[in-house]
Amino acid sequence: MLKNSLMVSALATALAVALGWVVALWLVGLRRGWRRAALALSIVAFALPAFLVTGIWIELLGNAGALRDWLPLNIYSLGGCAWILGLMTWPITTAAVWLTWRRIERDQLDSDPMLRGRRLIEEFLYPVARPALGVAIALTFVLTLNQFSVPAILQVKVYPAEIWLRFNTAYDVRGALMMSWPLLLAPALLLAALRTQRFRMPHGAVETPAGAFRDRLGGLWHGAAGVVAIVTLALSAALPLMRLLFGGRLWSDFGGA
């Protein structure tokens, strides 16, 4: 079960970091109004309850799911669990990377006219964001490693879910606490690492215009990042939110609640 937990957490972290990086790349070249809307949706994606998101994906990809015939993926699996956790935690990477990039001064961006497109990403944006990216990876890994509600709903055998079952069904408080030491060790190591992390950059009084980033990235890179970012926001925030507001029993049960 611990092996399953590490595998799920590693897969979810890889997905979340990849999606979060691409969304941050899109945000840095986005106009302010659209950027605020995208940031609001990313907050929604991170704030939605895990049981709600999992239930929606079961409705879509479960045994009798609405998209089962079109997308025959087994949601009741390690991969399905990692998919849901990745869609829930990518905003961590987006926030860490984008907040670092927005501190870049215009003079730093214009220091080398040859830094464009892929070279700009590989030789400038990635080195600048690397310390913040490391913190985001560690934080995402710890959060997904300790997540038990999504695996429990999907009936995926992972370590946190077993601890929860021991506590909740057998009332074995001492046994559950003794089993929890790996999950307590990971956050402790993260806190120790964060005490030594520094990811500061000098920044001026005026933020670098989004157009400057967009021009340096080029239409192809920024457009491709935008397509991935919009799909990510739709799957992780817009779809659950629309399903909650218009497709469920929220309003019929709201009065009684």
Coordinates of all heavy atoms in Angstrom, one line a residue, residues 48-114:
L48 N -12.2 23.3 -4.5 CA -13.3 22.4 -4.6 C -13.0 21.1 -3.7 O -11.9 20.6 -3.7 CB -13.6 21.9 -6.0 CG -14.2 22.9 -7.0 CD1 -14.2 22.4 -8.4 CD2 -15.7 23.2 -6.5
P49 N -14.1 20.7 -3.0 CA -13.9 19.5 -2.1 C -13.5 18.3 -2.9 O -14.0 18.0 -4.0 CB -15.2 19.3 -1.4 CG -15.9 20.6 -1.6 CD -15.4 21.2 -2.9
A50 N -12.6 17.4 -2.4 CA -12.2 16.3 -3.1 C -13.3 15.3 -3.4 O -13.3 14.7 -4.5 CB -11.1 15.6 -2.3
F51 N -14.2 15.1 -2.5 CA -15.3 14.2 -2.7 C -16.2 14.6 -3.8 O -16.8 13.8 -4.6 CB -16.1 13.9 -1.4 CG -16.9 15.1 -0.9 CD1 -18.2 15.3 -1.4 CD2 -16.4 16.0 0.0 CE1 -18.9 16.4 -1.0 CE2 -17.1 17.1 0.4 CZ -18.4 17.3 -0.1
L52 N -16.4 15.9 -4.0 CA -17.2 16.5 -5.0 C -16.6 16.2 -6.4 O -17.2 15.7 -7.3 CB -17.4 18.0 -4.8 CG -18.1 18.7 -6.0 CD1 -19.5 18.2 -6.2 CD2 -18.1 20.2 -5.8
V53 N -15.3 16.5 -6.5 CA -14.6 16.3 -7.8 C -14.5 14.8 -8.1 O -14.8 14.5 -9.3 CB -13.1 16.9 -7.7 CG1 -12.4 16.6 -9.0 CG2 -13.2 18.4 -7.4
T54 N -14.3 14.0 -7.2 CA -14.2 12.5 -7.4 C -15.6 12.0 -7.9 O -15.7 11.2 -8.8 CB -13.8 11.8 -6.2 OG1 -12.6 12.4 -5.7 CG2 -13.6 10.3 -6.5
G55 N -16.7 12.5 -7.2 CA -18.0 12.1 -7.6 C -18.3 12.5 -9.0 O -19.0 11.7 -9.7
I56 N -17.9 13.6 -9.4 CA -18.2 14.1 -10.8 C -17.5 13.2 -11.8 O -18.1 12.8 -12.9 CB -17.8 15.6 -11.0 CG1 -18.8 16.4 -10.2 CG2 -17.8 16.0 -12.4 CD1 -18.4 17.9 -10.1
W57 N -16.2 12.9 -11.5 CA -15.5 12.0 -12.5 C -16.0 10.6 -12.5 O -15.9 9.9 -13.5 CB -14.0 12.1 -12.2 CG -13.4 13.3 -12.7 CD1 -13.0 14.4 -12.0 CD2 -13.1 13.6 -14.0 NE1 -12.5 15.4 -12.8 CE2 -12.5 14.9 -14.1 CE3 -13.2 12.9 -15.2 CZ2 -12.1 15.5 -15.3 CZ3 -12.8 13.5 -16.4 CH2 -12.3 14.8 -16.4
I58 N -16.6 10.1 -11.4 CA -17.2 8.8 -11.4 C -18.5 8.9 -12.3 O -18.8 7.9 -13.0 CB -17.6 8.4 -9.9 CG1 -16.3 8.1 -9.2 CG2 -18.5 7.2 -9.9 CD1 -16.5 7.7 -7.7
E59 N -19.2 10.0 -12.2 CA -20.4 10.1 -13.0 C -20.0 10.1 -14.5 O -20.8 9.7 -15.4 CB -21.1 11.4 -12.7 CG -21.8 11.4 -11.4 CD -22.5 12.7 -11.1 OE1 -22.7 13.5 -12.1 OE2 -23.0 13.0 -10.0
L60 N -18.8 10.7 -14.8 CA -18.4 10.8 -16.2 C -17.7 9.5 -16.7 O -17.9 9.1 -17.9 CB -17.5 12.0 -16.4 CG -18.1 13.4 -16.1 CD1 -17.1 14.5 -16.2 CD2 -19.2 13.7 -17.1
L61 N -16.8 8.9 -15.9 CA -16.0 7.8 -16.4 C -16.2 6.5 -15.6 O -15.4 5.6 -15.8 CB -14.5 8.2 -16.3 CG -14.1 9.4 -17.2 CD1 -12.6 9.7 -16.9 CD2 -14.3 9.1 -18.6
G62 N -17.2 6.5 -14.7 CA -17.5 5.3 -14.0 C -18.1 4.2 -14.9 O -18.1 4.3 -16.1
N63 N -18.5 3.1 -14.3 CA -19.0 2.0 -15.1 C -20.2 2.3 -15.9 O -20.4 1.8 -17.0 CB -19.4 0.8 -14.1 CG -18.1 0.3 -13.4 OD1 -17.0 0.3 -13.9 ND2 -18.3 -0.2 -12.2
A64 N -21.0 3.3 -15.4 CA -22.2 3.7 -16.2 C -22.0 5.2 -16.5 O -23.0 6.0 -16.6 CB -23.5 3.5 -15.4
G65 N -20.8 5.7 -16.6 CA -20.5 7.1 -16.8 C -21.0 7.6 -18.2 O -21.1 6.9 -19.2
A66 N -21.2 8.9 -18.2 CA -21.7 9.6 -19.4 C -20.7 9.5 -20.5 O -21.1 9.5 -21.7 CB -22.2 11.0 -19.1
L67 N -19.4 9.6 -20.2 CA -18.4 9.6 -21.2 C -17.7 8.2 -21.3 O -16.6 8.2 -22.0 CB -17.3 10.7 -20.9 CG -17.9 12.1 -20.8 CD1 -16.7 13.0 -20.5 CD2 -18.5 12.5 -22.1
R68 N -18.2 7.2 -20.8 CA -17.6 5.9 -20.8 C -17.4 5.4 -22.2 O -16.3 4.8 -22.5 CB -18.4 4.9 -19.9 CG -17.7 3.5 -19.8 CD -16.5 3.6 -19.0 NE -15.9 2.3 -18.8 CZ -14.8 2.0 -18.1 NH1 -14.1 3.0 -17.6 NH2 -14.4 0.8 -18.0
D69 N -18.3 5.6 -23.0 CA -18.2 5.0 -24.4 C -17.2 5.8 -25.2 O -16.6 5.3 -26.2 CB -19.6 5.1 -25.1 CG -20.6 4.1 -24.4 OD1 -20.1 3.1 -23.8 OD2 -21.8 4.3 -24.5
W70 N -17.1 7.1 -24.9 CA -16.2 8.0 -25.7 C -14.8 7.9 -25.1 O -13.8 8.1 -25.9 CB -16.7 9.4 -25.6 CG -18.0 9.6 -26.3 CD1 -19.3 9.5 -25.7 CD2 -18.3 9.8 -27.6 NE1 -20.3 9.7 -26.5 CE2 -19.7 9.9 -27.8 CE3 -17.5 10.0 -28.8 CZ2 -20.3 10.1 -29.0 CZ3 -18.1 10.3 -30.0 CH2 -19.5 10.3 -30.1
L71 N -14.6 7.8 -23.8 CA -13.3 7.8 -23.2 C -13.2 6.6 -22.2 O -13.4 6.8 -21.0 CB -13.1 9.1 -22.5 CG -11.7 9.4 -22.0 CD1 -10.7 9.6 -23.2 CD2 -11.7 10.8 -21.2
P72 N -12.9 5.4 -22.7 CA -12.9 4.2 -21.9 C -11.7 4.1 -20.9 O -10.9 3.2 -21.1 CB -12.9 3.1 -22.9 CG -12.2 3.6 -24.1 CD -12.5 5.1 -24.1
L73 N -11.6 5.0 -20.0 CA -10.6 5.0 -19.0 C -11.1 4.4 -17.7 O -12.3 4.7 -17.3 CB -10.0 6.4 -18.7 CG -9.4 7.1 -19.9 CD1 -8.9 8.5 -19.6 CD2 -8.2 6.3 -20.5
N74 N -10.3 3.6 -17.0 CA -10.7 3.0 -15.7 C -10.4 4.0 -14.6 O -9.3 4.2 -14.2 CB -10.0 1.7 -15.5 CG -10.4 1.0 -14.2 OD1 -11.5 1.4 -13.6 ND2 -9.7 0.1 -13.7
I75 N -11.5 4.7 -14.1 CA -11.2 5.7 -13.1 C -11.0 5.0 -11.7 O -10.3 5.6 -10.9 CB -12.5 6.6 -13.0 CG1 -12.1 7.9 -12.2 CG2 -13.6 5.9 -12.3 CD1 -11.2 8.8 -13.0
Y76 N -11.4 3.7 -11.6 CA -11.1 3.0 -10.3 C -9.7 2.3 -10.4 O -9.6 1.1 -10.3 CB -12.2 2.0 -10.1 CG -13.6 2.5 -10.0 CD1 -14.5 2.5 -11.1 CD2 -14.1 3.1 -8.8 CE1 -15.7 3.0 -11.0 CE2 -15.3 3.7 -8.8 CZ -16.2 3.6 -9.9 OH -17.4 4.1 -9.8
S77 N -8.7 3.1 -10.5 CA -7.4 2.6 -10.6 C -6.4 3.6 -10.1 O -6.7 4.8 -9.7 CB -7.0 2.3 -12.1 OG -7.1 3.5 -12.8
L78 N -5.1 3.2 -10.0 CA -4.0 4.1 -9.5 C -3.9 5.3 -10.5 O -3.8 6.5 -10.1 CB -2.7 3.4 -9.5 CG -2.6 2.3 -8.4 CD1 -1.2 1.6 -8.5 CD2 -2.9 2.8 -7.0
G79 N -4.1 5.0 -11.8 CA -4.0 6.1 -12.8 C -5.2 7.1 -12.6 O -5.0 8.3 -12.8
G80 N -6.4 6.5 -12.4 CA -7.5 7.4 -12.2 C -7.4 8.3 -11.0 O -7.8 9.4 -11.0
C81 N -6.9 7.7 -9.9 CA -6.6 8.5 -8.7 C -5.6 9.6 -8.9 O -5.8 10.7 -8.5 CB -6.2 7.5 -7.6 SG -6.0 8.3 -6.0
A82 N -4.5 9.3 -9.6 CA -3.5 10.3 -9.9 C -4.1 11.4 -10.8 O -3.7 12.5 -10.7 CB -2.3 9.6 -10.6
W83 N -5.0 11.0 -11.8 CA -5.6 12.0 -12.6 C -6.4 13.0 -11.9 O -6.2 14.2 -12.1 CB -6.5 11.2 -13.6 CG -7.4 12.1 -14.4 CD1 -8.7 12.2 -14.2 CD2 -7.1 12.9 -15.6 NE1 -9.3 13.1 -15.2 CE2 -8.3 13.5 -16.0 CE3 -5.9 13.1 -16.3 CZ2 -8.4 14.4 -17.1 CZ3 -6.0 14.0 -17.4 CH2 -7.2 14.6 -17.7
I84 N -7.2 12.5 -10.9 CA -8.0 13.4 -10.1 C -7.2 14.3 -9.2 O -7.4 15.5 -9.1 CB -9.1 12.7 -9.3 CG1 -10.1 12.0 -10.3 CG2 -9.8 13.6 -8.4 CD1 -11.0 11.1 -9.6
L85 N -6.2 13.7 -8.6 CA -5.3 14.5 -7.7 C -4.5 15.5 -8.5 O -4.2 16.6 -8.0 CB -4.4 13.5 -6.9 CG -5.1 12.6 -5.9 CD1 -4.1 11.7 -5.3 CD2 -5.7 13.5 -4.8
G86 N -4.0 15.1 -9.7 CA -3.3 16.1 -10.5 C -4.1 17.3 -10.9 O -3.7 18.4 -10.9
L87 N -5.4 17.0 -11.2 CA -6.3 18.1 -11.6 C -6.7 19.0 -10.4 O -7.1 20.2 -10.6 CB -7.6 17.6 -12.2 CG -7.5 17.0 -13.6 CD1 -8.8 16.4 -14.1 CD2 -7.0 18.0 -14.6
M88 N -6.5 18.5 -9.2 CA -6.8 19.3 -8.0 C -5.6 20.1 -7.5 O -5.8 21.1 -6.8 CB -7.3 18.3 -6.9 CG -8.6 17.7 -7.1 SD -9.0 16.4 -5.9 CE -8.7 17.3 -4.3
T89 N -4.4 19.7 -7.8 CA -3.2 20.3 -7.2 C -2.3 21.1 -8.1 O -1.4 21.7 -7.7 CB -2.4 19.3 -6.5 OG1 -2.1 18.2 -7.4 CG2 -3.1 18.6 -5.3
W90 N -2.7 21.2 -9.4 CA -1.8 22.0 -10.3 C -1.7 23.5 -10.0 O -0.7 24.1 -10.3 CB -2.2 21.8 -11.8 CG -3.6 22.3 -12.1 CD1 -4.8 21.6 -12.1 CD2 -4.0 23.6 -12.4 NE1 -5.8 22.4 -12.4 CE2 -5.4 23.7 -12.6 CE3 -3.3 24.8 -12.5 CZ2 -6.1 24.8 -12.9 CZ3 -4.0 26.0 -12.8 CH2 -5.4 26.0 -13.0
P91 N -2.8 24.1 -9.4 CA -2.6 25.5 -9.0 C -1.4 25.8 -8.1 O -1.0 27.0 -8.1 CB -3.9 25.8 -8.4 CG -4.9 24.9 -8.9 CD -4.1 23.6 -9.1
I92 N -0.9 24.9 -7.4 CA 0.2 25.1 -6.5 C 1.4 25.5 -7.4 O 2.1 26.5 -7.1 CB 0.6 23.9 -5.7 CG1 -0.6 23.6 -4.7 CG2 1.8 24.1 -4.9 CD1 -0.4 22.3 -4.0
T93 N 1.7 24.7 -8.4 CA 2.8 25.0 -9.3 C 2.6 26.3 -10.0 O 3.5 27.2 -10.2 CB 3.0 23.9 -10.3 OG1 3.3 22.7 -9.6 CG2 4.2 24.2 -11.2
T94 N 1.4 26.6 -10.5 CA 1.0 27.8 -11.2 C 1.3 29.0 -10.4 O 1.9 30.0 -10.8 CB -0.4 27.8 -11.7 OG1 -0.6 26.7 -12.6 CG2 -0.8 29.1 -12.3
A95 N 0.9 29.0 -9.1 CA 1.1 30.1 -8.2 C 2.5 30.4 -8.0 O 3.0 31.5 -8.0 CB 0.3 29.9 -6.9
A96 N 3.3 29.3 -7.6 CA 4.7 29.5 -7.3 C 5.5 30.0 -8.5 O 6.3 30.9 -8.3 CB 5.3 28.1 -6.9
V97 N 5.3 29.4 -9.7 CA 6.0 29.8 -10.9 C 5.6 31.2 -11.4 O 6.4 32.1 -11.6 CB 5.9 28.8 -12.0 CG1 6.5 29.3 -13.3 CG2 6.5 27.5 -11.5
W98 N 4.3 31.5 -11.5 CA 3.8 32.7 -12.0 C 4.2 33.9 -11.1 O 4.7 35.0 -11.5 CB 2.3 32.7 -12.2 CG 1.8 34.1 -12.6 CD1 1.9 34.7 -13.8 CD2 1.0 34.9 -11.8 NE1 1.3 35.9 -13.8 CE2 0.7 36.1 -12.6 CE3 0.5 34.9 -10.5 CZ2 0.0 37.2 -12.1 CZ3 -0.2 35.9 -10.0 CH2 -0.5 37.1 -10.8
L99 N 4.1 33.7 -9.7 CA 4.5 34.8 -8.8 C 6.0 35.1 -8.9 O 6.4 36.2 -8.6 CB 4.2 34.4 -7.4 CG 2.7 34.4 -7.1 CD1 2.4 33.9 -5.7 CD2 2.1 35.8 -7.2
T100 N 6.8 34.1 -9.3 CA 8.3 34.3 -9.5 C 8.5 35.1 -10.8 O 9.3 36.1 -10.9 CB 9.0 33.0 -9.5 OG1 8.8 32.3 -8.3 CG2 10.5 33.2 -9.7
W101 N 7.8 34.7 -11.9 CA 8.0 35.3 -13.2 C 7.5 36.7 -13.2 O 8.1 37.6 -13.9 CB 7.3 34.5 -14.3 CG 8.0 33.2 -14.6 CD1 9.4 32.9 -14.3 CD2 7.5 32.1 -15.3 NE1 9.7 31.7 -14.8 CE2 8.6 31.2 -15.5 CE3 6.3 31.8 -15.9 CZ2 8.4 30.0 -16.1 CZ3 6.1 30.6 -16.5 CH2 7.1 29.7 -16.6
R102 N 6.5 37.1 -12.5 CA 6.0 38.4 -12.5 C 6.9 39.4 -11.8 O 6.7 40.6 -12.0 CB 4.5 38.5 -11.9 CG 4.5 38.4 -10.5 CD 3.0 38.2 -10.0 NE 2.2 39.3 -10.4 CZ 1.8 40.3 -9.6 NH1 2.3 40.3 -8.4 NH2 1.1 41.3 -10.0
R103 N 7.9 38.9 -11.1 CA 8.9 39.8 -10.5 C 10.0 40.2 -11.5 O 10.9 41.0 -11.1 CB 9.5 39.2 -9.3 CG 8.5 39.0 -8.2 CD 9.1 38.3 -7.0 NE 8.1 38.0 -5.9 CZ 8.4 37.4 -4.8 NH1 9.6 36.9 -4.6 NH2 7.5 37.2 -3.9
I104 N 10.0 39.6 -12.6 CA 11.1 39.8 -13.6 C 11.0 41.3 -14.1 O 9.9 41.7 -14.5 CB 11.0 38.8 -14.8 CG1 11.3 37.4 -14.3 CG2 12.1 39.2 -15.9 CD1 11.1 36.4 -15.3
E105 N 12.1 42.0 -14.1 CA 12.1 43.4 -14.6 C 12.2 43.4 -16.1 O 12.7 42.5 -16.8 CB 13.2 44.2 -14.0 CG 13.1 44.3 -12.5 CD 14.3 45.1 -11.9 OE1 15.2 45.4 -12.7 OE2 14.3 45.4 -10.7
R106 N 11.7 44.5 -16.7 CA 11.7 44.6 -18.2 C 13.2 44.6 -18.7 O 13.4 44.0 -19.8 CB 11.0 45.9 -18.6 CG 11.0 46.2 -20.1 CD 10.1 45.1 -20.7 NE 10.0 45.3 -22.2 CZ 9.0 46.0 -22.8 NH1 8.1 46.6 -22.1 NH2 9.0 46.2 -24.1
D107 N 14.1 45.2 -18.0 CA 15.5 45.2 -18.4 C 16.1 43.8 -18.4 O 16.9 43.5 -19.3 CB 16.3 46.1 -17.5 CG 15.9 47.6 -17.6 OD1 15.3 47.9 -18.6 OD2 16.2 48.3 -16.6
Q108 N 15.7 43.0 -17.5 CA 16.2 41.6 -17.5 C 15.6 40.8 -18.7 O 16.4 40.1 -19.3 CB 15.8 40.9 -16.2 CG 16.4 41.4 -14.9 CD 15.8 40.8 -13.7 OE1 14.6 40.7 -13.5 NE2 16.7 40.3 -12.8
L109 N 14.4 41.1 -19.0 CA 13.8 40.4 -20.2 C 14.4 40.9 -21.5 O 14.6 40.1 -22.4 CB 12.3 40.7 -20.2 CG 11.4 39.8 -21.1 CD1 11.5 38.3 -20.7 CD2 10.0 40.2 -21.1
D110 N 14.8 42.1 -21.6 CA 15.4 42.7 -22.8 C 16.9 42.6 -22.9 O 17.5 43.1 -23.8 CB 14.9 44.1 -23.0 CG 13.4 44.3 -23.1 OD1 12.8 43.3 -23.6 OD2 12.9 45.3 -22.8
S111 N 17.5 42.0 -21.9 CA 19.0 42.0 -21.9 C 19.6 41.2 -23.0 O 20.7 41.6 -23.5 CB 19.5 41.4 -20.5 OG 19.0 40.0 -20.4
D112 N 18.9 40.2 -23.6 CA 19.4 39.5 -24.7 C 18.4 39.3 -25.7 O 17.4 38.6 -25.6 CB 19.9 38.1 -24.2 CG 20.6 37.3 -25.3 OD1 20.6 37.8 -26.5 OD2 21.1 36.2 -25.0
P113 N 18.5 40.0 -26.9 CA 17.4 40.0 -27.9 C 17.3 38.6 -28.5 O 16.2 38.3 -29.1 CB 17.9 41.0 -29.0 CG 18.9 41.9 -28.2 CD 19.5 41.0 -27.2
M114 N 18.2 37.7 -28.4 CA 18.2 36.4 -29.0 C 17.3 35.4 -28.1 O 17.0 34.3 -28.6 CB 19.6 35.8 -29.2 CG 20.4 36.6 -30.1 SD 19.7 36.7 -31.8 CE 19.8 35.0 -32.3

